[in-house]
Amino acid sequence: MNKFDVNQLDLHYGDTHALKGINLPIPEKKVTALIGPSGCGKSTLLRTLNRMNDLIENVTIKGDVKLEGKDIYQDRNVAALRMKVGMVFQKANPFPMSIYENVAYGLKAQGIRNKKILDETVETALRSAALWDEVSDRLNSPAFGLSGGQQQRLCIARTIAIQPDVILMDEPTSALDPIATHKIEELMDELRKKFTIVIVTHSMAQAKRISDKTAFFWMGELVEHGDTDQVFNAPVDERTRGYVNGDFG
Ligand SMILES: Nc1ncnc2c1ncn2[C@@H]1O[C@H](COP(=O)(O)OP(=O)(O)OP(=O)(O)O)[C@@H](O)[C@H]1O
């Protein structure tokens, strides 16, 4: 079953035609990687999935993005959409507060005050983000005291805590060292059991390691998408073949 269906999606930033007639099914509880050279529209497509582009001036969008069959651009409740479709950014962006408060933030914003519920949710989210064992003895310490990789896992925990269905990740490991990257990649294997994940990555090795599906973009077009094995080992389009072979990038 598809979580999202993107149909005939065109996006302009002013005169820049950033996405051209995109059709992309995004299956449920799988990892879909968006790959392609810089400026090809990967992040733009990712941001259309939770309407983050709405925040940018001069954007026009045509076509539709269906989440479980309903066009997200027809529904005006963007806050509800973003609770269902969470996002993790390239650079970890913890709030200037404790580890605990970071994870509890979204729940408190929803008016949840019950300490038992908050404690349980914080613990579950930190466990799901494979961070609990490293921070359980210092939940009240500032989040900024964590390493970069831990901060990124904290941001993942903060996203998980509000129980989204989908997690969007925009180059989540590009600022991390190989060990921290490996931890997040390991974590993805657990996360895919519960969530639909869409990840933008510049690393083809990473896309190969962690994704079930891959979509290759080139100058605003979706050139090819399919099972990751097929896209990397038997690409149909010359441009995909050139990119995955490292001929350009
Ligand atoms: N806020 C914006 N305002 C105007 N143009 C933008 C904006 N964001 C992106 N663009 C343009 O849209 C096109 C696609 O950009 P996008 O960031 O989606 O590409 P990308 O594939 O994610 O690139 P990268 O890998 O470098 O992050 C580019 O031509 C870019 O310059």
Side-chain angles (χ1 to χ4, degrees):
M1 189 188 150
N2 293 334
K3 195 70 181 171
F4 281 105
D5 279 291
V6 177
N7 300 308
Q8 284 303 327
L9 188 74
D10 273 278
L11 185 145
H12 287 82
Y13 295 107
D15 293 335
T16 307
H17 198 176
L19 293 175
K20 302 172 184 167
I22 306 295
N23 293 298
L24 179 65
I26 296 178
E28 188 170 29
K29 293 194 179 150
K30 301 263 186 245
V31 178
T32 298
L34 311 181
I35 64 166
S38 195
C40 66
K42 308 176 293 291
S43 298
T44 299
L45 181 71
L46 192 77
R47 291 195 302 259
T48 61
L49 302 178
N50 70 348
R51 295 189 52 172
M52 290 292 275
N53 292 312
D54 290 16
L55 307 171
I56 301 170
E57 255 181 64
N58 270 334
V59 170
T60 47
I61 299 174
K62 284 199 200 120
D64 57 49
V65 176
K66 289 190 174 143
L67 172 61
E68 295 165 350
K70 281 198 197 139
D71 187 356
I72 62 172
Y73 286 89
Q74 298 300 323
D75 187 339
R76 291 185 178 270
N77 195 342
V78 179
L81 170 69
R82 297 212 183 113
M83 300 236 286
K84 224 171 144 105
V85 185
M87 191 155 189
V88 174
F89 297 88
Q90 183 169 7
K91 196 168 172 306
N93 56 348
F95 302 141
M97 48 183 78
S98 70
I99 294 168
Y100 182 99
E101 290 300 330
N102 261 275
V103 184
Y105 188 88
L107 298 168
K108 289 192 172 176
Q110 290 172 37
I112 298 169
R113 292 281 177 272
N114 182 309
K115 181 145 180 0
K116 191 161 176 283
I117 294 177
L118 291 172
D119 286 354
E120 279 172 11
T121 312
V122 167
E123 178 171 344
T124 307
L126 285 168
R127 283 190 189 282
S128 301
L131 190 57
W132 175 254
D133 292 344
E134 290 162 59
V135 300
S136 59
D137 59 346
R138 51 172 167 151
L139 293 176
N140 294 319
S141 305
F144 290 144
L146 298 173
S147 72
Q150 288 172 327
Q151 288 189 17
Q152 193 59 303
R153 279 180 283 141
L154 180 68
C155 293
I156 293 173
R158 187 175 67 194
T159 303
I160 291 172
I162 54 168
Q163 297 180 341
D165 287 350
V166 182
I167 305 179
L168 308 178
M169 296 185 167
D170 198 351
E171 298 185 48
T173 62
S174 64
L176 303 180
D177 66 30
I179 292 170
T181 297
H182 179 67
K183 281 209 163 166
I184 300 236
E185 289 186 4
E186 267 185 346
L187 172 59
M188 304 280 280
D189 249 353
E190 285 304 308
L191 296 180
R192 87 174 79 215
K193 294 176 189 159
K194 291 193 204 144
F195 305 100
T196 300
I197 297 176
V198 188
I199 180 169
V200 168
T201 179
H202 272 281
S203 160
M204 284 184 278
Q206 179 168 71
K208 268 199 247 183
R209 281 194 297 266
I210 63 169
S211 70
D212 306 288
K213 301 278 178 183
T214 294
F216 170 64
F217 290 79
W218 195 74
M219 292 176 73
E221 277 178 51
L222 172 55
V223 171
E224 181 164 355
H225 68 90
D227 288 344
T228 294
D229 274 354
Q230 178 259 308
V231 172
F232 279 95
N233 298 322
V236 176
D237 192 283
E238 268 310 310
R239 291 166 291 180
T240 317
R241 189 168 309 140
Y243 186 72
V244 301
N245 287 338
D247 297 346
F248 65 92

mmCIF file of all heavy atoms in Angstrom, residues 178-220:
data_model
loop_
_atom_site.group_PDB
_atom_site.id
_atom_site.type_symbol
_atom_site.label_atom_id
_atom_site.label_comp_id
_atom_site.label_asym_id
_atom_site.label_seq_id
_atom_site.Cartn_x
_atom_site.Cartn_y
_atom_site.Cartn_z
ATOM 1 N N PRO A 178 31.719 9.043 10.510
ATOM 2 C CA PRO A 178 31.280 7.704 10.073
ATOM 3 C C PRO A 178 30.653 6.858 11.180
ATOM 4 O O PRO A 178 29.711 6.104 10.922
ATOM 5 C CB PRO A 178 32.573 7.053 9.559
ATOM 6 C CG PRO A 178 33.456 8.192 9.186
ATOM 7 C CD PRO A 178 33.117 9.307 10.134
ATOM 8 N N ILE A 179 31.133 7.006 12.414
ATOM 9 C CA ILE A 179 30.573 6.169 13.486
ATOM 10 C C ILE A 179 29.137 6.608 13.808
ATOM 11 O O ILE A 179 28.228 5.793 13.915
ATOM 12 C CB ILE A 179 31.480 6.209 14.739
ATOM 13 C CG1 ILE A 179 32.785 5.493 14.392
ATOM 14 C CG2 ILE A 179 30.810 5.548 15.939
ATOM 15 C CD1 ILE A 179 33.877 5.636 15.419
ATOM 16 N N ALA A 180 28.954 7.916 13.911
ATOM 17 C CA ALA A 180 27.610 8.441 14.193
ATOM 18 C C ALA A 180 26.672 8.128 13.020
ATOM 19 O O ALA A 180 25.495 7.806 13.216
ATOM 20 C CB ALA A 180 27.679 9.941 14.437
ATOM 21 N N THR A 181 27.211 8.192 11.804
ATOM 22 C CA THR A 181 26.412 7.866 10.620
ATOM 23 C C THR A 181 25.971 6.406 10.670
ATOM 24 O O THR A 181 24.808 6.081 10.432
ATOM 25 C CB THR A 181 27.247 8.105 9.334
ATOM 26 O OG1 THR A 181 27.551 9.495 9.273
ATOM 27 C CG2 THR A 181 26.500 7.693 8.082
ATOM 28 N N HIS A 182 26.895 5.544 11.045
ATOM 29 C CA HIS A 182 26.592 4.113 11.123
ATOM 30 C C HIS A 182 25.472 3.858 12.136
ATOM 31 O O HIS A 182 24.563 3.064 11.895
ATOM 32 C CB HIS A 182 27.869 3.351 11.509
ATOM 33 C CG HIS A 182 27.655 1.881 11.641
ATOM 34 N ND1 HIS A 182 27.343 1.074 10.562
ATOM 35 C CD2 HIS A 182 27.673 1.066 12.725
ATOM 36 C CE1 HIS A 182 27.199 -0.167 10.981
ATOM 37 N NE2 HIS A 182 27.390 -0.204 12.288
ATOM 38 N N LYS A 183 25.510 4.578 13.264
ATOM 39 C CA LYS A 183 24.471 4.392 14.298
ATOM 40 C C LYS A 183 23.103 4.770 13.746
ATOM 41 O O LYS A 183 22.106 4.105 13.994
ATOM 42 C CB LYS A 183 24.772 5.256 15.526
ATOM 43 C CG LYS A 183 25.825 4.658 16.394
ATOM 44 C CD LYS A 183 25.634 5.065 17.829
ATOM 45 C CE LYS A 183 26.443 4.106 18.678
ATOM 46 N NZ LYS A 183 26.653 4.487 20.013
ATOM 47 N N ILE A 184 23.065 5.880 13.027
ATOM 48 C CA ILE A 184 21.763 6.319 12.475
ATOM 49 C C ILE A 184 21.300 5.330 11.408
ATOM 50 O O ILE A 184 20.126 4.991 11.336
ATOM 51 C CB ILE A 184 21.875 7.752 11.898
ATOM 52 C CG1 ILE A 184 22.303 8.695 13.016
ATOM 53 C CG2 ILE A 184 20.585 8.161 11.185
ATOM 54 C CD1 ILE A 184 21.476 9.860 13.330
ATOM 55 N N GLU A 185 22.228 4.832 10.615
ATOM 56 C CA GLU A 185 21.834 3.861 9.580
ATOM 57 C C GLU A 185 21.292 2.574 10.221
ATOM 58 O O GLU A 185 20.316 2.007 9.752
ATOM 59 C CB GLU A 185 23.008 3.559 8.647
ATOM 60 C CG GLU A 185 23.317 4.738 7.742
ATOM 61 C CD GLU A 185 24.369 4.416 6.702
ATOM 62 O OE1 GLU A 185 24.826 3.259 6.625
ATOM 63 O OE2 GLU A 185 24.754 5.338 5.959
ATOM 64 N N GLU A 186 21.932 2.148 11.307
ATOM 65 C CA GLU A 186 21.438 0.960 12.015
ATOM 66 C C GLU A 186 20.030 1.194 12.539
ATOM 67 O O GLU A 186 19.165 0.332 12.482
ATOM 68 C CB GLU A 186 22.342 0.681 13.217
ATOM 69 C CG GLU A 186 23.460 -0.272 12.930
ATOM 70 C CD GLU A 186 24.240 -0.580 14.199
ATOM 71 O OE1 GLU A 186 24.085 0.134 15.222
ATOM 72 O OE2 GLU A 186 25.012 -1.518 14.163
ATOM 73 N N LEU A 187 19.842 2.414 13.050
ATOM 74 C CA LEU A 187 18.561 2.800 13.612
ATOM 75 C C LEU A 187 17.455 2.746 12.559
ATOM 76 O O LEU A 187 16.318 2.367 12.847
ATOM 77 C CB LEU A 187 18.728 4.220 14.174
ATOM 78 C CG LEU A 187 17.529 4.985 14.657
ATOM 79 C CD1 LEU A 187 16.852 4.221 15.773
ATOM 80 C CD2 LEU A 187 17.978 6.358 15.160
ATOM 81 N N MET A 188 17.813 3.088 11.327
ATOM 82 C CA MET A 188 16.817 3.111 10.250
ATOM 83 C C MET A 188 16.166 1.741 10.078
ATOM 84 O O MET A 188 15.000 1.639 9.727
ATOM 85 C CB MET A 188 17.469 3.491 8.923
ATOM 86 C CG MET A 188 18.195 4.778 8.946
ATOM 87 S SD MET A 188 17.102 6.153 8.789
ATOM 88 C CE MET A 188 16.866 6.113 7.065
ATOM 89 N N ASP A 189 16.945 0.685 10.320
ATOM 90 C CA ASP A 189 16.420 -0.659 10.162
ATOM 91 C C ASP A 189 15.284 -0.933 11.132
ATOM 92 O O ASP A 189 14.339 -1.644 10.822
ATOM 93 C CB ASP A 189 17.547 -1.674 10.410
ATOM 94 C CG ASP A 189 17.931 -2.364 9.139
ATOM 95 O OD1 ASP A 189 17.228 -2.151 8.127
ATOM 96 O OD2 ASP A 189 18.916 -3.110 9.158
ATOM 97 N N GLU A 190 15.414 -0.369 12.337
ATOM 98 C CA GLU A 190 14.342 -0.499 13.326
ATOM 99 C C GLU A 190 13.171 0.407 12.965
ATOM 100 O O GLU A 190 12.012 0.018 13.051
ATOM 101 C CB GLU A 190 14.871 -0.111 14.724
ATOM 102 C CG GLU A 190 15.746 -1.165 15.353
ATOM 103 C CD GLU A 190 15.029 -2.512 15.439
ATOM 104 O OE1 GLU A 190 13.904 -2.564 15.954
ATOM 105 O OE2 GLU A 190 15.620 -3.514 14.954
ATOM 106 N N LEU A 191 13.504 1.649 12.562
ATOM 107 C CA LEU A 191 12.445 2.631 12.295
ATOM 108 C C LEU A 191 11.546 2.199 11.141
ATOM 109 O O LEU A 191 10.351 2.465 11.149
ATOM 110 C CB LEU A 191 13.055 4.008 11.992
ATOM 111 C CG LEU A 191 13.845 4.673 13.125
ATOM 112 C CD1 LEU A 191 14.380 6.023 12.671
ATOM 113 C CD2 LEU A 191 12.990 4.850 14.370
ATOM 114 N N ARG A 192 12.120 1.521 10.163
ATOM 115 C CA ARG A 192 11.298 1.173 8.985
ATOM 116 C C ARG A 192 10.182 0.193 9.344
ATOM 117 O O ARG A 192 9.231 0.037 8.592
ATOM 118 C CB ARG A 192 12.177 0.626 7.862
ATOM 119 C CG ARG A 192 12.440 -0.849 7.937
ATOM 120 C CD ARG A 192 13.185 -1.335 6.723
ATOM 121 N NE ARG A 192 14.587 -1.033 6.827
ATOM 122 C CZ ARG A 192 15.359 -0.696 5.793
ATOM 123 N NH1 ARG A 192 14.852 -0.592 4.595
ATOM 124 N NH2 ARG A 192 16.631 -0.469 5.964
ATOM 125 N N LYS A 193 10.314 -0.479 10.507
ATOM 126 C CA LYS A 193 9.252 -1.409 10.914
ATOM 127 C C LYS A 193 7.990 -0.649 11.319
ATOM 128 O O LYS A 193 6.891 -1.162 11.227
ATOM 129 C CB LYS A 193 9.725 -2.271 12.093
ATOM 130 C CG LYS A 193 10.854 -3.213 11.712
ATOM 131 C CD LYS A 193 11.372 -3.977 12.915
ATOM 132 C CE LYS A 193 12.648 -4.734 12.549
ATOM 133 N NZ LYS A 193 13.446 -5.074 13.737
ATOM 134 N N LYS A 194 8.197 0.574 11.807
ATOM 135 C CA LYS A 194 7.041 1.321 12.330
ATOM 136 C C LYS A 194 6.639 2.511 11.468
ATOM 137 O O LYS A 194 5.508 2.975 11.545
ATOM 138 C CB LYS A 194 7.396 1.887 13.716
ATOM 139 C CG LYS A 194 7.536 0.862 14.786
ATOM 140 C CD LYS A 194 7.558 1.555 16.147
ATOM 141 C CE LYS A 194 8.257 0.685 17.166
ATOM 142 N NZ LYS A 194 9.030 1.449 18.129
ATOM 143 N N PHE A 195 7.594 3.064 10.723
ATOM 144 C CA PHE A 195 7.335 4.318 10.030
ATOM 145 C C PHE A 195 7.625 4.191 8.539
ATOM 146 O O PHE A 195 8.435 3.372 8.124
ATOM 147 C CB PHE A 195 8.243 5.439 10.573
ATOM 148 C CG PHE A 195 8.143 5.637 12.053
ATOM 149 C CD1 PHE A 195 9.103 5.095 12.903
ATOM 150 C CD2 PHE A 195 7.104 6.359 12.611
ATOM 151 C CE1 PHE A 195 9.024 5.263 14.287
ATOM 152 C CE2 PHE A 195 7.017 6.541 13.986
ATOM 153 C CZ PHE A 195 7.979 5.994 14.822
ATOM 154 N N THR A 196 6.980 5.080 7.787
ATOM 155 C CA THR A 196 7.361 5.262 6.388
ATOM 156 C C THR A 196 8.455 6.327 6.394
ATOM 157 O O THR A 196 8.284 7.384 7.016
ATOM 158 C CB THR A 196 6.145 5.770 5.579
ATOM 159 O OG1 THR A 196 5.115 4.785 5.678
ATOM 160 C CG2 THR A 196 6.505 6.020 4.125
ATOM 161 N N ILE A 197 9.567 6.048 5.737
ATOM 162 C CA ILE A 197 10.685 6.991 5.782
ATOM 163 C C ILE A 197 11.041 7.443 4.368
ATOM 164 O O ILE A 197 11.127 6.617 3.452
ATOM 165 C CB ILE A 197 11.915 6.335 6.451
ATOM 166 C CG1 ILE A 197 11.562 5.993 7.909
ATOM 167 C CG2 ILE A 197 13.139 7.255 6.394
ATOM 168 C CD1 ILE A 197 12.633 5.256 8.651
ATOM 169 N N VAL A 198 11.203 8.751 4.220
ATOM 170 C CA VAL A 198 11.686 9.290 2.947
ATOM 171 C C VAL A 198 12.950 10.075 3.269
ATOM 172 O O VAL A 198 12.932 10.961 4.145
ATOM 173 C CB VAL A 198 10.649 10.216 2.277
ATOM 174 C CG1 VAL A 198 11.118 10.596 0.865
ATOM 175 C CG2 VAL A 198 9.276 9.554 2.204
ATOM 176 N N ILE A 199 14.039 9.727 2.615
ATOM 177 C CA ILE A 199 15.332 10.325 2.961
ATOM 178 C C ILE A 199 16.008 10.899 1.718
ATOM 179 O O ILE A 199 16.045 10.248 0.672
ATOM 180 C CB ILE A 199 16.242 9.281 3.667
ATOM 181 C CG1 ILE A 199 17.591 9.892 4.033
ATOM 182 C CG2 ILE A 199 16.430 8.016 2.865
ATOM 183 C CD1 ILE A 199 18.429 9.011 4.965
ATOM 184 N N VAL A 200 16.492 12.135 1.845
ATOM 185 C CA VAL A 200 17.338 12.722 0.805
ATOM 186 C C VAL A 200 18.776 12.413 1.195
ATOM 187 O O VAL A 200 19.177 12.662 2.340
ATOM 188 C CB VAL A 200 17.157 14.258 0.741
ATOM 189 C CG1 VAL A 200 18.240 14.895 -0.120
ATOM 190 C CG2 VAL A 200 15.779 14.601 0.181
ATOM 191 N N THR A 201 19.522 11.854 0.278
ATOM 192 C CA THR A 201 20.937 11.616 0.586
ATOM 193 C C THR A 201 21.817 11.880 -0.633
ATOM 194 O O THR A 201 21.413 11.627 -1.765
ATOM 195 C CB THR A 201 21.173 10.186 1.129
ATOM 196 O OG1 THR A 201 22.575 10.018 1.374
ATOM 197 C CG2 THR A 201 20.693 9.096 0.185
ATOM 198 N N HIS A 202 23.013 12.403 -0.344
ATOM 199 C CA HIS A 202 24.014 12.594 -1.387
ATOM 200 C C HIS A 202 24.902 11.375 -1.510
ATOM 201 O O HIS A 202 25.705 11.281 -2.432
ATOM 202 C CB HIS A 202 24.905 13.796 -1.049
ATOM 203 C CG HIS A 202 24.344 15.067 -1.556
ATOM 204 N ND1 HIS A 202 24.457 15.458 -2.857
ATOM 205 C CD2 HIS A 202 23.628 16.022 -0.938
ATOM 206 C CE1 HIS A 202 23.848 16.602 -3.024
ATOM 207 N NE2 HIS A 202 23.326 16.974 -1.875
ATOM 208 N N SER A 203 24.759 10.475 -0.525
ATOM 209 C CA SER A 203 25.642 9.314 -0.517
ATOM 210 C C SER A 203 24.946 8.140 -1.195
ATOM 211 O O SER A 203 23.948 7.618 -0.690
ATOM 212 C CB SER A 203 25.998 8.957 0.928
ATOM 213 O OG SER A 203 26.447 7.630 0.986
ATOM 214 N N MET A 204 25.493 7.745 -2.333
ATOM 215 C CA MET A 204 24.888 6.604 -3.020
ATOM 216 C C MET A 204 25.094 5.323 -2.224
ATOM 217 O O MET A 204 24.240 4.452 -2.205
ATOM 218 C CB MET A 204 25.445 6.492 -4.420
ATOM 219 C CG MET A 204 24.822 7.556 -5.290
ATOM 220 S SD MET A 204 25.349 7.413 -6.946
ATOM 221 C CE MET A 204 26.901 8.244 -6.868
ATOM 222 N N ALA A 205 26.237 5.250 -1.525
ATOM 223 C CA ALA A 205 26.488 4.068 -0.695
ATOM 224 C C ALA A 205 25.414 3.978 0.392
ATOM 225 O O ALA A 205 24.892 2.905 0.697
ATOM 226 C CB ALA A 205 27.874 4.156 -0.072
ATOM 227 N N GLN A 206 25.067 5.136 0.947
ATOM 228 C CA GLN A 206 24.041 5.137 1.991
ATOM 229 C C GLN A 206 22.680 4.731 1.415
ATOM 230 O O GLN A 206 21.970 3.912 2.006
ATOM 231 C CB GLN A 206 23.934 6.532 2.619
ATOM 232 C CG GLN A 206 22.870 6.613 3.682
ATOM 233 C CD GLN A 206 22.966 7.903 4.481
ATOM 234 O OE1 GLN A 206 22.670 8.984 3.973
ATOM 235 N NE2 GLN A 206 23.389 7.798 5.715
ATOM 236 N N ALA A 207 22.328 5.298 0.271
ATOM 237 C CA ALA A 207 21.042 4.929 -0.346
ATOM 238 C C ALA A 207 20.987 3.423 -0.569
ATOM 239 O O ALA A 207 19.989 2.770 -0.272
ATOM 240 C CB ALA A 207 20.857 5.684 -1.661
ATOM 241 N N LYS A 208 22.090 2.853 -1.054
ATOM 242 C CA LYS A 208 22.132 1.407 -1.307
ATOM 243 C C LYS A 208 21.966 0.615 -0.020
ATOM 244 O O LYS A 208 21.290 -0.388 0.026
ATOM 245 C CB LYS A 208 23.487 1.031 -1.918
ATOM 246 C CG LYS A 208 23.504 1.037 -3.420
ATOM 247 C CD LYS A 208 24.677 0.225 -3.919
ATOM 248 C CE LYS A 208 25.658 1.148 -4.600
ATOM 249 N NZ LYS A 208 26.806 0.495 -5.179
ATOM 250 N N ARG A 209 22.633 1.103 1.046
ATOM 251 C CA ARG A 209 22.609 0.359 2.310
ATOM 252 C C ARG A 209 21.239 0.391 2.967
ATOM 253 O O ARG A 209 20.807 -0.605 3.526
ATOM 254 C CB ARG A 209 23.628 0.965 3.292
ATOM 255 C CG ARG A 209 25.058 0.566 3.059
ATOM 256 C CD ARG A 209 25.934 0.915 4.263
ATOM 257 N NE ARG A 209 26.000 2.345 4.515
ATOM 258 C CZ ARG A 209 26.956 3.159 4.054
ATOM 259 N NH1 ARG A 209 27.934 2.663 3.320
ATOM 260 N NH2 ARG A 209 26.957 4.443 4.340
ATOM 261 N N ILE A 210 20.580 1.535 2.941
ATOM 262 C CA ILE A 210 19.421 1.664 3.833
ATOM 263 C C ILE A 210 18.061 1.684 3.147
ATOM 264 O O ILE A 210 17.054 1.550 3.825
ATOM 265 C CB ILE A 210 19.525 2.935 4.710
ATOM 266 C CG1 ILE A 210 19.505 4.178 3.824
ATOM 267 C CG2 ILE A 210 20.737 2.887 5.612
ATOM 268 C CD1 ILE A 210 19.346 5.458 4.619
ATOM 269 N N SER A 211 18.012 1.881 1.829
ATOM 270 C CA SER A 211 16.679 2.103 1.252
ATOM 271 C C SER A 211 16.116 0.879 0.537
ATOM 272 O O SER A 211 16.864 0.032 0.046
ATOM 273 C CB SER A 211 16.703 3.299 0.295
ATOM 274 O OG SER A 211 17.420 2.983 -0.870
ATOM 275 N N ASP A 212 14.797 0.803 0.522
ATOM 276 C CA ASP A 212 14.094 -0.234 -0.239
ATOM 277 C C ASP A 212 13.815 0.259 -1.651
ATOM 278 O O ASP A 212 13.852 -0.500 -2.609
ATOM 279 C CB ASP A 212 12.746 -0.546 0.429
ATOM 280 C CG ASP A 212 12.905 -0.900 1.888
ATOM 281 O OD1 ASP A 212 13.404 -1.998 2.162
ATOM 282 O OD2 ASP A 212 12.572 -0.064 2.758
ATOM 283 N N LYS A 213 13.490 1.550 -1.730
ATOM 284 C CA LYS A 213 13.138 2.155 -3.022
ATOM 285 C C LYS A 213 14.048 3.350 -3.250
ATOM 286 O O LYS A 213 14.415 4.043 -2.281
ATOM 287 C CB LYS A 213 11.691 2.672 -2.998
ATOM 288 C CG LYS A 213 10.673 1.589 -2.710
ATOM 289 C CD LYS A 213 10.334 0.805 -3.953
ATOM 290 C CE LYS A 213 9.350 -0.304 -3.679
ATOM 291 N NZ LYS A 213 9.074 -1.104 -4.856
ATOM 292 N N THR A 214 14.356 3.611 -4.501
ATOM 293 C CA THR A 214 15.178 4.780 -4.832
ATOM 294 C C THR A 214 14.530 5.543 -5.972
ATOM 295 O O THR A 214 14.016 4.940 -6.922
ATOM 296 C CB THR A 214 16.606 4.349 -5.235
ATOM 297 O OG1 THR A 214 17.262 3.764 -4.098
ATOM 298 C CG2 THR A 214 17.446 5.533 -5.700
ATOM 299 N N ALA A 215 14.555 6.883 -5.841
ATOM 300 C CA ALA A 215 14.056 7.742 -6.919
ATOM 301 C C ALA A 215 15.208 8.654 -7.337
ATOM 302 O O ALA A 215 15.803 9.333 -6.491
ATOM 303 C CB ALA A 215 12.870 8.568 -6.417
ATOM 304 N N PHE A 216 15.517 8.658 -8.632
ATOM 305 C CA PHE A 216 16.637 9.466 -9.139
ATOM 306 C C PHE A 216 16.094 10.703 -9.860
ATOM 307 O O PHE A 216 15.311 10.587 -10.822
ATOM 308 C CB PHE A 216 17.502 8.637 -10.095
ATOM 309 C CG PHE A 216 18.514 9.455 -10.841
ATOM 310 C CD1 PHE A 216 19.531 10.117 -10.160
ATOM 311 C CD2 PHE A 216 18.444 9.601 -12.219
ATOM 312 C CE1 PHE A 216 20.462 10.900 -10.841
ATOM 313 C CE2 PHE A 216 19.368 10.381 -12.915
ATOM 314 C CZ PHE A 216 20.378 11.037 -12.209
ATOM 315 N N PHE A 217 16.521 11.876 -9.391
ATOM 316 C CA PHE A 217 16.082 13.157 -9.955
ATOM 317 C C PHE A 217 17.204 13.785 -10.762
ATOM 318 O O PHE A 217 18.385 13.643 -10.412
ATOM 319 C CB PHE A 217 15.677 14.130 -8.832
ATOM 320 C CG PHE A 217 14.418 13.734 -8.132
ATOM 321 C CD1 PHE A 217 14.425 12.741 -7.181
ATOM 322 C CD2 PHE A 217 13.212 14.350 -8.450
ATOM 323 C CE1 PHE A 217 13.265 12.355 -6.538
ATOM 324 C CE2 PHE A 217 12.043 13.971 -7.820
ATOM 325 C CZ PHE A 217 12.067 12.974 -6.865
ATOM 326 N N TRP A 218 16.815 14.514 -11.782
ATOM 327 C CA TRP A 218 17.799 15.212 -12.602
ATOM 328 C C TRP A 218 17.145 16.465 -13.164
ATOM 329 O O TRP A 218 16.146 16.392 -13.865
ATOM 330 C CB TRP A 218 18.275 14.286 -13.727
ATOM 331 C CG TRP A 218 19.509 14.745 -14.419
ATOM 332 C CD1 TRP A 218 20.782 14.713 -13.932
ATOM 333 C CD2 TRP A 218 19.586 15.309 -15.725
ATOM 334 N NE1 TRP A 218 21.650 15.212 -14.854
ATOM 335 C CE2 TRP A 218 20.950 15.587 -15.967
ATOM 336 C CE3 TRP A 218 18.654 15.594 -16.711
ATOM 337 C CZ2 TRP A 218 21.391 16.144 -17.152
ATOM 338 C CZ3 TRP A 218 19.079 16.155 -17.894
ATOM 339 C CH2 TRP A 218 20.448 16.427 -18.115
ATOM 340 N N MET A 219 17.665 17.609 -12.791
ATOM 341 C CA MET A 219 17.155 18.908 -13.247
ATOM 342 C C MET A 219 15.631 19.036 -13.126
ATOM 343 O O MET A 219 14.953 19.447 -14.077
ATOM 344 C CB MET A 219 17.595 19.152 -14.689
ATOM 345 C CG MET A 219 19.105 19.344 -14.777
ATOM 346 S SD MET A 219 19.703 19.514 -16.455
ATOM 347 C CE MET A 219 19.131 21.140 -16.870
ATOM 348 N N GLY A 220 15.125 18.670 -11.962
ATOM 349 C CA GLY A 220 13.697 18.844 -11.699
ATOM 350 C C GLY A 220 12.808 17.727 -12.200
ATOM 351 O O GLY A 220 11.602 17.721 -11.948
#
